[in-house]
Amino acid sequence: MGGCLSGDVNGGKQAIGGVQQRPTSSIPNNAAHNDAVDFFFRSRGQYPLFSQIELSLSALNLVDRDITSKSDPMAVMYLRKKDGKLEEIGRTEVILNDLNPKWIEKITVSFQFEAVQTLVFHVYDVDTKYHNVPVKTLKLQDQDFLGEATCVLSEIMTRPNRTVTLNLTGNFGAGVNRHLGILSVQAEETVASKTVVEMNFRCVNLDNKDMFSKSDPFLRISRIVETSAAVPICRTEVVDNNLNPMWRPVCLTMQQFGSKETPLVIECFDFNTSGNHELIGKTEKSVAELERLCLQKEGANFVYPSFSHGSKVLKGQLLVDRFVEKVQYSFLDYISSGFELNFMVAVDFTASNGDPRTPSSLHYVDPSGRLNSYQKAIMEVGEVIQFYDSDKRFPAWGFGGRTSDGSVSHAFNLNGASYGDEVVGVEGIMDAYASALRNVALAGPTLFSNVVDKAANIASQSLSENSPKYFVLLIITDGVLTDMVGTVDALVRASDLPLSVLIVGVGNTDFKQMEILDADNGRRLESSTGRIATRDIVQFVPMKEIHSGHVSVVQALLEELPGQFLSYVRSRKINPIGAPAI
């Protein structure tokens, strides 16, 4: 869905630095719309007629829960399921020191015409120590609750301006339900266009708003919608102490800017840690006009609105140093053009799983036929990966087991064959797993590096042949890892390849090591030699979260895959098969 590049800025400025770059047509951090998930369900006829809706959120008069400053609000949206449980759909960014926030991060949801979709919104004040942490990883129980609102999606869609205003309520103190401000929700249907524009903005001769230093400017870009309201779509990072700032490239999708003729309001502010950012100046330009400024190498003068004397034209100017319009293909564009996903499976045979003869073991085979944790994971995960794997033939390995020759192997063929590691379909994995349990003794230590290297070799071979293929290694494990350093080194080496690693955790172990590998804290993995991973290729999914009903297995498994796939093909400028060069 596009977005702005946000600066890696300190002191909470990341909240101003706007929204992270998001891959078009898939929003990995948003549980609502992911075209890999949609495709899976639609192919099974499980999705009725629906359209994709983007919700913009803003609030007024929030409660102040901070003592020395104002609250730092973030909104979370849930869908209430039939059983009453709440399924999280998405989160906004955190805005610092603001009781009247207008969030930029949109939340996407599928509007199903014949279903009653009850939306529940929770607003939180995010604790200062979490300000430079990705919102996806925030634990909500650690934040202060600011209020709740609820409505039905069809209620928003049937309003003339597709906007509802909801009262935020909540219990504080003696169980008193009190009014806690107002939440506004505006809906727009998503645009299918793949056009994106990338622009480099800079300013010259800005007015100085600081007494003892220079201004710390950032830009906020908003689109004027039919109701004449301005919906913020992008913020740049903050440039410290500079009256002639230059920002990182801004990337806007047609979903964000509407059409090239739609007026955009571009405001330049001086950043203040209090949240009272001071307006330096503003200008109104469409994307087409910004393109003209770039071509003609001209600047647009900012104006400062004054109610008594009319708007004052300032000497400060906005310039567009670079303007590029391009097509950004989606995950489905690649898959439907014939790009193949190939899955590989590796199963943990280490002793930490427990003796398979005892019922407490994760590998226990129940005579009654009840599936153990590994069999359940293979069945549930297998259905999803089988759907996306073109030939349904999986290389399948085990690791950490003592094989028939008495040696411990960290990458043995699950089917027991001395050559040929492929099995066919989910049934093939299940049969090979049952056979391995009879013939392999659980041992150790737990090393992932061998199976990661094996998968990387297959991906590397395919790359050298220029095959339109992307590989996913699925590791099913109890999460107790012996060689963290070797695993990280193998993953960093593999980060250049057409490969993702999906780790599925079974059992109730502490999965902290797996969460480190997932790198969802925004920091890429770093090898023992200091090499940083080219991109994040790992996703960790604990089965206990799926079985607790918080998230579906399809959603959990495919949440990050489209984004990882797109980060690979875009970084290598690979187009869908038959598509014109970008």
Side-chain angles (χ1 to χ4, degrees), residues 81-213:
K81 299 200 288 191
K82 288 194 177 86
D83 60 5
K85 284 185 180 168
L86 297 181
E87 179 188 352
E88 183 175 328
I89 300 298
R91 302 179 179 190
T92 65
E93 77 278 20
V94 180
I95 293 186
L96 294 191
N97 293 320
D98 199 339
L99 302 181
N100 303 296
K102 287 184 175 181
W103 289 284
I104 283 185
E105 184 74 53
K106 314 302 180 206
I107 299 178
T108 313
V109 64
S110 299
F111 173 43
Q112 299 176 12
F113 301 96
E114 73 303 323
V116 176
Q117 293 168 281
T118 304
L119 306 179
V120 178
F121 301 90
H122 288 178
V123 180
Y124 292 91
D125 173 20
V126 175
D127 193 297
T128 314
K129 65 182 176 217
Y130 299 111
H131 282 175
N132 284 325
V133 172
V135 292
K136 174 187 173 184
T137 64
L138 290 176
K139 292 189 165 52
L140 298 178
Q141 65 268 26
D142 296 339
Q143 320 306 327
D144 287 330
F145 182 65
L146 295 181
E148 173 181 323
T150 186
C151 70
V152 176
L153 182 54
S154 55
E155 187 186 334
I156 309 175
M157 299 307 295
T158 51
R159 293 281 172 94
N161 58 359
R162 291 190 172 175
T163 303
V164 293
T165 303
L166 308 169
N167 288 324
L168 285 163
T169 58
N171 291 330
F172 286 96
V176 180
N177 209 17
R178 52 179 274 213
H179 181 52
L180 303 171
I182 286 168
L183 183 74
S184 293
V185 186
Q186 181 175 31
E188 287 185 285
E189 281 194 60
T190 59
V191 175
S193 168
K194 300 180 200 314
T195 301
V196 296
V197 295
E198 196 172 279
M199 294 172 282
N200 287 39
F201 288 117
R202 68 183 169 95
C203 288
V204 292
N205 303 321
L206 291 178
D207 281 5
N208 194 14
K209 299 290 183 179
D210 291 351
M211 196 172 292
F212 301 113
S213 62

Side-chain angles (χ1 to χ4, degrees), residues 167-404:
N167 288 324
L168 285 163
T169 58
N171 291 330
F172 286 96
V176 180
N177 209 17
R178 52 179 274 213
H179 181 52
L180 303 171
I182 286 168
L183 183 74
S184 293
V185 186
Q186 181 175 31
E188 287 185 285
E189 281 194 60
T190 59
V191 175
S193 168
K194 300 180 200 314
T195 301
V196 296
V197 295
E198 196 172 279
M199 294 172 282
N200 287 39
F201 288 117
R202 68 183 169 95
C203 288
V204 292
N205 303 321
L206 291 178
D207 281 5
N208 194 14
K209 299 290 183 179
D210 291 351
M211 196 172 292
F212 301 113
S213 62
K214 295 180 185 146
S215 296
D216 308 314
F218 69 92
L219 298 177
R220 181 175 75 183
I221 304 174
S222 305
R223 186 178 81 234
I224 296 177
V225 294
E226 293 158 8
T227 54
S228 295
V231 175
I233 56 172
C234 172
R235 273 187 290 249
T236 65
E237 76 279 13
V238 177
V239 176
D240 285 333
N241 208 23
N242 198 327
L243 301 181
N244 300 289
M246 185 182 291
W247 289 278
R248 294 177 194 175
V250 163
C251 185
L252 297 178
T253 66
M254 194 173 269
Q255 171 66 33
Q256 291 172 305
F257 64 76
S259 78
K260 287 184 80 170
E261 276 62 51
T262 304
L264 302 177
V265 178
I266 303 168
E267 297 162 296
C268 186
F269 289 95
D270 175 25
F271 174 86
N272 285 314
T273 48
S274 66
N276 298 323
H277 310 303
E278 198 171 347
L279 181 67
I280 296 173
K282 63 193 283 189
T283 183
E284 194 175 298
K285 296 285 172 205
S286 67
V287 167
E289 289 169 323
L290 292 170
E291 184 176 20
R292 274 198 294 279
L293 287 180
C294 181
L295 289 172
Q296 293 163 6
K297 295 186 168 48
E298 291 176 357
N301 285 78
F302 283 115
V303 298
Y304 190 86
S306 167
F307 297 109
S308 52
H309 305 99
S311 294
K312 177 186 173 187
V313 178
L314 306 171
K315 67 175 188 293
Q317 287 191 319
L318 174 77
L319 294 99
V320 185
D321 281 347
R322 178 174 157 271
F323 183 101
V324 180
E325 188 172 338
K326 54 189 179 182
V327 174
Q328 220 166 33
Y329 292 110
S330 72
F331 176 71
L332 282 192
D333 290 331
Y334 287 90
I335 298 304
S336 54
S337 78
F339 234 90
E340 293 180 15
L341 286 183
N342 292 91
F343 284 81
M344 304 170 258
V345 183
V347 180
D348 185 340
F349 276 79
T350 56
S352 53
N353 286 282
D355 185 339
R357 292 167 297 190
T358 61
S360 60
S361 169
L362 295 172
H363 280 305
Y364 177 65
V365 179
D366 194 322
S368 71
R370 204 161 62 94
L371 299 181
N372 68 26
S373 299
Y374 278 85
Q375 289 170 316
K376 271 190 205 149
I378 291 168
M379 288 293 285
E380 293 177 24
V381 172
E383 185 200 6
V384 181
I385 64 173
Q386 182 171 269
F387 170 77
Y388 271 105
D389 193 295
S390 38
D391 64 2
K392 301 188 179 18
R393 301 181 73 85
F394 309 117
W397 312 304
F399 58 92
R402 194 177 301 283
T403 53
S404 52

Side-chain angles (χ1 to χ4, degrees), residues 28-29 132-138 514-525 536 538-541 559-560 564:
N29 68 341
N132 284 325
V133 172
V135 292
K136 174 187 173 184
T137 64
L138 290 176
M514 301 300 105
E515 286 162 5
I516 291 167
L517 296 178
D518 196 342
D520 272 347
N521 60 2
R523 288 197 179 93
R524 290 183 191 162
L525 293 176
D536 174 22
V538 180
Q539 187 191 354
F540 169 62
V541 179
E559 184 183 20
E560 291 180 21
Q564 291 180 357

Side-chain angles (χ1 to χ4, degrees), residues 384-452:
V384 181
I385 64 173
Q386 182 171 269
F387 170 77
Y388 271 105
D389 193 295
S390 38
D391 64 2
K392 301 188 179 18
R393 301 181 73 85
F394 309 117
W397 312 304
F399 58 92
R402 194 177 301 283
T403 53
S404 52
D405 66 0
S407 64
V408 174
S409 170
H410 299 290
F412 58 87
N413 292 344
L414 203 61
N415 60 12
S418 51
Y419 59 89
D421 53 12
E422 287 189 342
V423 298
V424 180
V426 180
E427 299 77 16
I429 304 173
M430 289 290 274
D431 291 346
Y433 168 73
S435 158
L437 270 185
R438 290 191 295 272
N439 300 304
V440 175
L442 303 194
T446 311
L447 310 178
F448 285 1
S449 48
N450 297 55
V451 287
V452 171

